[in-house]
Amino acid sequence: MAQDGIYMDVPAVQNMADGFRSAGEVLNGVSTALEAAIMILKVTAFVGLVGGFAVEHFLSQIQPKVKKLAEKCDELNLDLIGAIISYRDGDESGSKRFR
């Protein structure tokens, strides 16, 4: 059976957008913390702590990936908000034709 029309559970989509926004905020915080840890470990590596250099190298590999994931979460949040706005505005403009 084919459906007539497009339907969106706006509160559910809004909850998803909020979840992505929250995840993006957390990941941005993690990225900032990793960046600070990397700088501290770089400084201690000059003192002669080989282990500090190894950990710094490891964190330097992770930090850009966390930052990119945070950006993707922010992008998904904006995409979902845009979908809600388009759905709402399209519904309002379409219904005006029948008044």
Side-chain angles (χ1 to χ4, degrees):
M1 175 182 243
Q3 288 185 350
D4 295 327
I6 298 171
Y7 301 99
M8 176 188 292
D9 184 357
V10 175
V13 175
Q14 183 64 53
N15 285 338
M16 288 178 10
D18 293 343
F20 280 114
R21 186 188 71 238
S22 296
E25 290 171 355
V26 168
L27 289 168
N28 279 321
V30 170
S31 177
T32 302
L34 284 172
E35 203 169 324
I38 289 167
M39 292 307 293
I40 291 169
L41 290 168
K42 281 183 180 180
V43 170
T44 60
F46 287 121
V47 177
L49 298 174
V50 176
F53 178 75
V55 172
E56 180 272 327
H57 181 71
F58 178 71
L59 293 178
S60 293
Q61 299 296 315
I62 293 173
Q63 192 268 341
K65 292 177 174 123
V66 170
K67 186 174 182 177
K68 186 173 183 177
L69 185 58
E71 290 169 358
K72 286 292 181 186
C73 285
D74 292 339
E75 181 182 347
L76 284 168
N77 171 48
L78 294 176
D79 288 347
L80 289 169
I81 296 296
I84 291 170
I85 291 169
S86 294
Y87 177 77
R88 183 193 63 218
D89 292 350
D91 188 39
E92 288 176 6
S93 65
S95 65
K96 288 178 185 175
R97 294 179 191 170
F98 300 103
R99 288 185 185 178

